[in-house]
Amino acid sequence: MTSSLIPEGFRPFASRGRFTEKIGPLYYKTDGDSTIYGFLADESHTNGHGMVHGGMLVSFLDETLGQIIWRSLDKQQCATISLTCDFVAGAKPGDWIETRAEISRKGMAVIFVRGELLVRGERIVTADGIWKIIGK
Amino acid sequence: MTSSLIPEGFRPFASRGRFTEKIGPLYYKTDGDSTIYGFLADESHTNGHGMVHGGMLVSFLDETLGQIIWRSLDKQQCATISLTCDFVAGAKPGDWIETRAEISRKGMAVIFVRGELLVRGERIVTADGIWKIIGK
């Protein structure tokens, strides 16, 4: 992995658990009030077809949507309760993959979010998720 | 990881790509015509709360549902096009996690499957997925 393949301004994010270390490095970049997340797909993320494994794509989405929600909740702990992903295109080693997300609704106990993964501006995964604030 | 924690008859499955090696070992056991899949959650699978990361659970489901479908299709290549997961309970390091699945319909090009992950016989994740036969 060559650092020149990481877009300017992105930095690896600190561990939030061992699983993200195992599948990473995963990156973030602050851009005004928002945070953009990305990772560089490599051979270690591939399935038997040589494409990025769906599990890796969902893992990255789950982690980064969770971080976006956590930030929007002033860092209250929350957990995924439902996640639906459509795999509309594939990704290959060498692709830089970014998350985009929009929170649809913040309730007292649950948060609804729409997200997507992009490669070179094209959607590869679309997702709808529900997170729950722990203890509410 | 102590091998005595792996239920009798389960063996690690051969690599079907680098990502499953990274997150594994993942196990299988043949039982008559069917195959049962499992893995032993450990510290390397945890999120920031010390629970098994949702991404790990979905990765295992995606991989094992894919293998179940692939076997049912006489090993025609297929790919996930949609996967919906509800996280009804959590899992911890030390838990042995198994996949159960039922194919709802095999069409000419797409296959519908219902699956779940169990710990000690209790559901922790329920899932509905659609796979596509590649080239159809």
Side-chain angles (χ1 to χ4, degrees):
Chain A
M1 189 184 304
T2 311
S3 62
S4 65
L5 297 174
I6 309 300
E8 198 177 325
F10 280 88
R11 297 191 303 175
F13 57 78
S15 170
R16 301 207 326 149
R18 296 274 302 280
F19 188 66
T20 52
E21 285 176 22
K22 186 191 272 278
I23 65 174
L26 310 178
Y27 294 83
Y28 76 100
K29 175 184 175 179
T30 50
D31 182 13
D33 284 345
S34 69
T35 304
I36 303 170
Y37 296 91
F39 79 100
L40 183 64
D42 65 32
E43 294 293 342
S44 80
H45 299 128
T46 53
N47 62 21
H49 309 304
M51 302 295 284
V52 179
H53 196 290
M56 177 62 204
L57 298 174
V58 178
S59 295
F60 178 64
L61 250 176
D62 182 41
E63 175 65 28
T64 55
L65 294 180
Q67 289 205 25
I68 289 164
I69 290 166
W70 174 73
R71 286 175 189 277
S72 83
L73 293 170
D74 293 330
K75 303 189 177 178
Q76 290 179 84
Q77 298 296 339
C78 52
T80 320
I81 58 175
S82 184
L83 188 60
T84 295
C85 294
D86 289 347
F87 301 85
V88 300
K92 299 183 302 295
D95 285 342
W96 173 256
I97 299 174
E98 286 189 10
T99 304
R100 289 288 182 274
E102 190 175 341
I103 292 174
S104 301
R105 180 172 164 76
K106 275 193 241 182
M108 292 291 287
V110 296
I111 298 92
F112 298 84
V113 65
R114 307 206 79 181
E116 54 196 28
L117 294 182
L118 306 176
V119 173
R120 291 177 291 277
E122 299 286 329
R123 285 186 187 122
I124 61 163
V125 180
T126 61
D128 285 282
I130 308 173
W131 265 253
K132 184 174 181 305
I133 302 174
I134 293 175
K136 293 222 173 159
Chain B
M1 188 183 305
T2 310
S3 62
S4 65
L5 297 174
I6 309 299
E8 198 177 325
F10 280 89
R11 297 191 304 175
F13 58 77
S15 172
R16 302 206 324 148
R18 296 274 303 279
F19 188 65
T20 53
E21 284 176 23
K22 186 191 272 277
I23 64 173
L26 309 178
Y27 294 83
Y28 76 100
K29 174 183 176 179
T30 51
D31 181 15
D33 285 344
S34 69
T35 304
I36 304 171
Y37 296 91
F39 80 100
L40 183 65
D42 65 31
E43 294 291 342
S44 80
H45 300 128
T46 53
N47 61 22
H49 310 304
M51 303 294 285
V52 179
H53 196 291
M56 177 62 204
L57 298 174
V58 178
S59 295
F60 178 65
L61 251 175
D62 182 43
E63 176 64 30
T64 54
L65 294 179
Q67 289 203 27
I68 289 165
I69 290 165
W70 174 72
R71 286 176 189 278
S72 83
L73 292 171
D74 294 329
K75 303 190 178 179
Q76 291 179 83
Q77 298 295 340
C78 52
T80 321
I81 57 173
S82 185
L83 188 60
T84 295
C85 294
D86 289 345
F87 301 86
V88 300
K92 299 182 302 294
D95 285 341
W96 173 255
I97 300 174
E98 285 190 8
T99 303
R100 289 287 183 274
E102 191 175 341
I103 292 174
S104 302
R105 179 170 164 77
K106 274 194 239 181
M108 292 291 288
V110 294
I111 299 92
F112 298 83
V113 65
R114 306 207 80 180
E116 54 196 27
L117 294 182
L118 306 176
V119 173
R120 291 177 291 277
E122 299 285 329
R123 285 187 187 122
I124 60 163
V125 180
T126 61
D128 285 282
I130 308 173
W131 265 250
K132 186 177 180 304
I133 302 173
I134 293 175
K136 293 223 173 155

